[in-house]
């Protein structure tokens, strides 16, 4: 294993994340698990070159999302560090799989905190929290980052519940672009390219309130709506229908989007904020595609700046398939 060459995409990840000063400015790096990771894990010494000047002992401690620390024996070579005894138990305990991405935060004294992402770029819940929703939520430097939610998230809640009578609902007879369906004209993309886009977005830092969304088919190809993370909505948006302006960084043009507020008769505590009217114009003008990641940064009340992290930088216009 020690002599394995990493693919170009892995090297690109390393360029972006090797010892970045994030997570309270702690040295940080990531590792993508290959097919034979279960027998041991090789870390390039380049990844470990800036650990606050520390020299790793022969035993390190890895702490996953459960908070439980695992002792791992390591073997050092001139070019790498091999995680050996204890690694297999750690991998099994957290149900790690080939293609998962591990994000390491160095805490000092040969100890690391580790976050796990699946091949689609979503943060994996810990073993003890596996029954809960995978929300991919990370908070660093006062920035709230919530990635696109899975099928147990607000998107499904909205589909499966009925709006309370008398409460404004975004369900309306949709015409124009919302009734059209588009398809992508870009080249096929890989899961790892989608991971790169998400990791680039997760590097974004601001003192302003933010949320992050991975674009789904319903966000950019059909229907054209975007569900806002509930926590962000509760803290930053009014409990009623309103209009929000969207703008790109360093661009004076604004797009005005209807943000609808919905509560449900079956669960009064569950509310959903959703971008709909006007969202399609923003999507089509800026050619957002499935898998692209957008960071929405609140610049002022009801004013958001949208930072776009594309899976493919080359822009190819979306094509209408029906109307």
């Amino acid at each position: 294993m020690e002599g394995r060459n990493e693919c170009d995409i892995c090297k690109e990840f390393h360029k972006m994340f090797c010892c970045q000063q994030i997570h309270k400015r702690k040295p940080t790096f990531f590792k993508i698990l290959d097919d034979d990771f279960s027998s041991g894990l090789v870390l390039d010494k380049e990844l470990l070159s800036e650990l606050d000047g520390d020299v790793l002992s022969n035993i390190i401690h890895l702490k996953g999302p459960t908070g439980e620390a695992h002792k791992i024996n390591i073997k050092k070579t001139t070019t790498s560090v091999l995680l050996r005894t204890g690694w297999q138990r750690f991998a099994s305990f957290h149900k790690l799989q080939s293609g998962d991405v591990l994000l390491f935060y160095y805490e000092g004294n040969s100890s690391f905190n580790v976050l796990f992402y699946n091949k689609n770029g979503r943060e994996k819940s810990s073993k003890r929290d596996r029954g809960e929703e995978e929300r991919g939520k990370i908070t660093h430097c006062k920035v709230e980052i919530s990635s696109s939610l899975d099928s147990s998230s607000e998107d499904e809640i909205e589909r499966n519940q009925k709006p309370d009578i008398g409460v404004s609902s975004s369900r309306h007879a949709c015409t124009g672009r919302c009734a059209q369906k588009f398809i992508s004209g870009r080249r096929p993309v890989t899961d790892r390219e989608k991971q790169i886009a998400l990791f680039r977005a997760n590097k974004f830092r601001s003192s302003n309130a933010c949320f992050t969304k991975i674009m789904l088919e319903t966000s950019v190809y059909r229907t054209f709506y975007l569900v806002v993370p509930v926590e962000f909505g509760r803290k930053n948006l009014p409990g009623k229908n309103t209009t929000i302006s969207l703008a790109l960084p360093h661009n004076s043009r604004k797009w005005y989007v209807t943000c609808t507020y919905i509560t449900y008769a079956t669960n009064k505590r569950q509310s959903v904020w959703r971008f709909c009217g006007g969202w399609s114009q923003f999507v089509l003008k800026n050619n957002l595609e499935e898998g692209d990641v957008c960071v929405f940064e609140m610049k002022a009340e009801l004013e958001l700046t949208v930072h776009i992290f594309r899976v493919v930088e080359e822009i190819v216009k979306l094509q209408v398939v029906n109307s």
Side-chain angles (χ1 to χ4, degrees):
M1 292 176 60
E2 296 174 11
R4 289 180 63 89
N5 292 323
E6 294 183 313
C7 68
D8 291 338
I9 293 178
C10 293
K11 291 178 181 177
E12 183 64 25
F13 266 119
H14 287 156
K15 290 178 183 177
M16 292 190 295
F17 283 92
C18 178
C19 297
Q20 292 293 323
Q21 299 300 307
I22 60 177
H23 190 58
K24 299 182 181 179
R25 304 189 69 81
K26 292 181 174 64
T28 305
F29 61 90
F30 76 96
K31 180 71 177 180
I32 301 175
L33 299 183
D34 56 20
D35 291 336
D36 59 352
F37 74 90
S38 58
S39 60
L41 186 68
V42 176
L43 301 179
D44 192 315
K45 276 195 172 179
E46 180 184 354
L47 299 176
L48 307 170
S49 61
E50 298 182 18
L51 301 183
D52 293 336
D54 288 359
V55 176
L56 293 180
S57 65
N58 291 327
I59 297 178
I60 64 173
H61 294 83
L62 300 185
K63 185 185 295 185
T66 63
E68 180 175 335
H70 292 249
K71 290 184 179 180
I72 313 291
N73 289 86
I74 65 173
K75 177 183 177 182
K76 301 176 185 177
T77 72
T78 56
T79 60
S80 64
V81 171
L82 174 63
L83 278 58
R84 305 178 71 183
T85 307
W87 164 254
Q88 189 172 19
R89 180 179 181 276
F90 178 83
S92 175
F93 181 84
H94 293 290
K95 299 185 182 297
L96 300 182
Q97 299 176 344
S98 177
D100 285 350
V101 180
L102 275 58
L103 193 58
F104 292 80
Y105 298 102
Y106 186 60
E107 300 291 339
N109 297 321
S110 297
S111 297
F112 298 82
N113 279 330
V114 189
L115 294 179
F116 313 122
Y117 294 83
N118 64 25
K119 64 180 181 180
N120 294 319
R122 292 191 176 96
E123 187 178 356
K124 298 179 66 171
S125 58
S126 65
K127 185 175 182 179
R128 294 176 185 174
D129 298 332
R130 198 161 297 279
E132 299 180 0
E133 300 170 357
E134 292 183 13
R135 295 184 178 271
K137 181 184 173 186
I138 248 180
T139 301
H140 298 316
C141 307
K142 300 182 181 179
V143 180
E144 298 170 1
I145 298 183
S146 300
S147 67
S148 176
L149 305 176
D150 62 19
S151 60
S152 63
S153 66
E154 288 98 333
D155 297 278
E156 182 169 330
I157 291 170
E158 183 179 3
R159 287 194 297 269
N160 293 340
Q161 299 199 61
K162 296 180 179 179
D164 194 6
I165 297 175
V167 177
S168 297
S169 169
S170 64
R171 301 189 184 278
H172 57 280
C174 197
T175 60
R177 283 175 175 165
C178 292
Q180 292 178 327
K181 183 177 180 180
F182 293 77
I183 59 173
S184 174
R186 71 184 177 188
R187 62 169 175 77
V189 299
T190 65
D191 287 338
R192 286 192 174 182
E193 286 178 307
K194 292 181 179 180
Q195 291 173 16
I196 290 173
L198 179 59
F199 274 98
R200 287 174 58 211
N202 282 344
K203 288 179 63 179
F204 179 84
R205 294 294 177 265
S206 171
S207 59
N208 299 322
C210 301
F211 70 90
T212 298
K213 294 289 288 189
I214 301 172
M215 297 298 103
L216 307 176
E217 283 190 28
T218 51
S219 307
V220 296
Y221 295 156
R222 56 182 174 85
T223 312
F224 291 98
Y225 71 87
L226 184 82
V227 177
V228 176
V230 169
E231 186 173 354
F232 180 91
R234 287 174 179 166
K235 292 181 179 180
N236 301 285
L237 300 177
K240 62 181 181 180
N241 292 355
T242 190
T243 299
I244 290 179
S245 70
L246 304 179
L248 299 181
H250 314 298
N251 192 323
S252 59
R253 177 172 179 179
K254 293 184 178 181
W255 286 265
Y256 292 92
V257 173
T258 299
C259 180
T260 59
Y261 173 76
I262 310 169
T263 57
Y264 296 97
T266 55
N267 188 350
K268 295 287 188 179
R269 299 180 63 184
Q270 180 65 61
S271 301
V272 171
W273 287 261
R274 191 174 80 161
F275 294 169
C276 51
W279 171 248
S280 61
Q281 286 87 343
F282 180 82
V283 166
L284 296 172
K285 182 63 178 178
N286 294 291
N287 218 81
L288 293 179
E289 298 252 22
E290 183 183 9
D292 288 347
V293 186
C294 291
V295 178
F296 295 81
E297 179 188 13
M298 180 159 278
K299 288 293 190 176
E301 185 177 5
L302 303 182
E303 294 183 5
L304 298 173
T305 296
V306 185
H307 305 265
I308 300 173
F309 300 87
R310 301 183 188 276
V311 177
V312 177
E313 290 299 329
E314 181 183 3
I315 293 177
V316 179
K317 293 294 183 182
L318 299 177
Q319 303 172 22
V320 181
V321 293
N322 71 341
S323 60

